[in-house]
Amino acid sequence: MGAQLRVYKRRIRSVTATKKITKAMEMIAASRIVKAQRKVAASMPYATELNRAVTAVATGSTTKHALTTEVEAPTRAAVLLITSDRGLAGGYSSNAIKAAERLRERLRVEGKEVDSYIVGRKGVAYYGFRERKVAESWTGFTDSPTYGDAKNVAAPLIEAIQAETAEGGVDELHIVFTEFVSMMTQNPTDNRMLPLSLDEVADESSTKGEILPLFDFEPSAEDVLDALLPRYVESRIYNALLQAAASEHAARRRAMKSATDNAGDLIKSLSRLANAARQAEITQEISEIVGGASALADATAGSDK
């Protein structure tokens, strides 16, 4: 019985240590969510003005450009998937990977070949384990991305959209990331970055009640689009990286809170079992003492006769 009590106590100490770790990780993730949200908010003015500039050029010119022109029969698409570098975040990465798989299947049904670009060790490991070809991959910055990271990710994608399909180029750019809605809600989503849908631009402008001014483009609309293309792609990727980072921290905070709560419940259960074992041990000792005293009394009474 004493051995069983020692086992319970050892398990309680182990679970208590785990609870302290998960609680600390929960608090760290909660503090990082706030920082990530601030970064998302800080990036919005630049992204908004850039979108206005792209909208003005797209609606104010008839120049055919990779930024705005739909390919008549697209045959190749690039998909950028953003996952995490670390685990302990619940289903964060797996949900993003599932969204990317659904997008890939949809593009294949449409007759398009898919080139995969991966951000995060979880996505890289998923594709590596299944021996799938990956065009480019990046790791090491998913929890705190910078604009420099976004530029590094955007560079090969911009090169691919500008190249001819026969030379390894693509007709479309898609991005799959986890959109941060709130502390409790993060939605895996897929968006097409390029070509820019002019119908969506017109609908968004009409919804906001904006009247776009007329512009003259110098030296030409094509040169302006060439200058805006990398900035637009970098901005979209940077915003996606920031939202994915906030979503990752929120998912990790939720997962660690659940682990902490489960550890607390397990400690309570083990404590009850340890108390029961200790009571049983005490009862057994009392019974042995009473039995020994009774036997001694009987022996003494026999000798007196």
Side-chain angles (χ1 to χ4, degrees):
M1 191 65 68
Q4 187 178 16
L5 181 59
R6 286 194 296 273
V7 169
Y8 286 138
K9 288 183 177 180
R10 186 166 58 248
R11 290 189 62 188
I12 289 172
R13 287 195 298 269
S14 175
V15 176
T16 301
T18 301
K19 182 181 178 181
K20 292 179 180 179
I21 295 172
T22 56
K23 184 63 177 179
M25 294 181 67
E26 176 190 348
M27 296 175 67
I28 292 172
S31 66
R32 288 180 176 176
I33 293 173
V34 177
K35 294 180 181 178
Q37 287 179 296
R38 290 174 181 170
K39 287 184 177 181
V40 173
S43 70
M44 290 307 296
Y46 174 78
T48 300
E49 293 304 317
L50 182 60
N51 286 338
R52 285 174 59 88
V54 172
T55 300
V57 181
T59 57
S61 69
T62 58
T63 302
K64 290 186 177 181
H65 193 274
L67 185 63
T68 58
T69 304
E70 294 274 358
V71 177
E72 186 173 347
T75 59
R76 197 178 187 93
V79 175
L80 173 63
L81 169 62
I82 299 177
T83 62
S84 67
D85 285 323
R86 299 185 294 124
L88 300 177
Y92 166 76
S93 292
S94 62
N95 290 336
I97 291 172
K98 289 177 183 177
E101 291 294 291
R102 291 192 293 269
L103 174 61
R104 286 169 60 89
E105 184 61 29
R106 187 168 73 246
L107 293 173
R108 289 196 188 98
V109 171
E110 295 173 358
K112 301 170 186 174
E113 187 178 349
V114 178
D115 290 345
S116 297
Y117 295 78
I118 313 296
V119 173
R121 291 190 178 93
K122 291 300 180 180
V124 173
Y126 178 88
Y127 278 72
F129 179 77
R130 288 157 181 78
E131 297 182 351
R132 295 184 181 178
K133 184 179 178 181
V134 175
E136 292 280 351
S137 63
W138 302 266
T139 60
F141 55 81
T142 60
D143 60 343
S144 184
T146 64
Y147 195 83
D149 297 323
K151 291 184 68 174
N152 292 334
V153 174
L157 292 170
I158 295 170
E159 183 179 348
I161 196 68
Q162 291 177 328
E164 296 293 334
T165 306
E167 300 175 355
V170 298
D171 301 315
E172 297 177 355
L173 290 183
H174 298 261
I175 184 169
V176 180
F177 66 100
T178 305
E179 181 183 14
F180 182 84
V181 179
S182 67
M183 295 284 283
M184 298 303 298
T185 306
Q186 301 87 42
N187 296 328
T189 183
D190 64 88
N191 293 329
R192 192 182 77 172
M193 285 192 292
L194 296 177
L196 184 66
S197 175
L198 297 183
D199 292 336
E200 292 180 3
V201 169
D203 292 342
E204 183 178 354
S205 298
S206 61
T207 300
K208 294 181 179 179
E210 296 179 352
I211 299 177
L212 298 175
L214 297 177
F215 290 95
D216 288 330
F217 304 108
E218 294 290 344
S220 67
E222 185 175 1
D223 291 332
V224 174
L225 288 171
D226 286 339
L228 286 176
L229 174 61
R231 304 293 179 268
Y232 176 76
V233 175
E234 290 165 6
S235 175
R236 290 288 299 273
I237 291 176
Y238 184 51
N239 181 264
L241 287 172
L242 291 178
Q243 292 208 49
S247 299
E248 177 186 346
H249 295 315
R252 182 168 291 112
R253 187 201 67 83
R254 190 167 59 250
M256 291 301 97
K257 184 179 186 308
S258 178
T260 302
D261 294 342
N262 291 338
D265 294 340
L266 183 56
I267 290 172
K268 291 180 181 178
S269 177
L270 291 172
S271 296
R272 284 194 293 267
L273 292 174
N275 290 336
R278 183 168 58 252
Q279 291 172 357
E281 184 178 356
I282 293 172
T283 301
Q284 182 177 354
E285 290 176 355
I286 293 174
S287 298
E288 290 174 354
I289 293 172
V290 172
S294 178
L296 182 60
D298 291 344
T300 302
S303 62
D304 291 341
K305 293 179 181 180

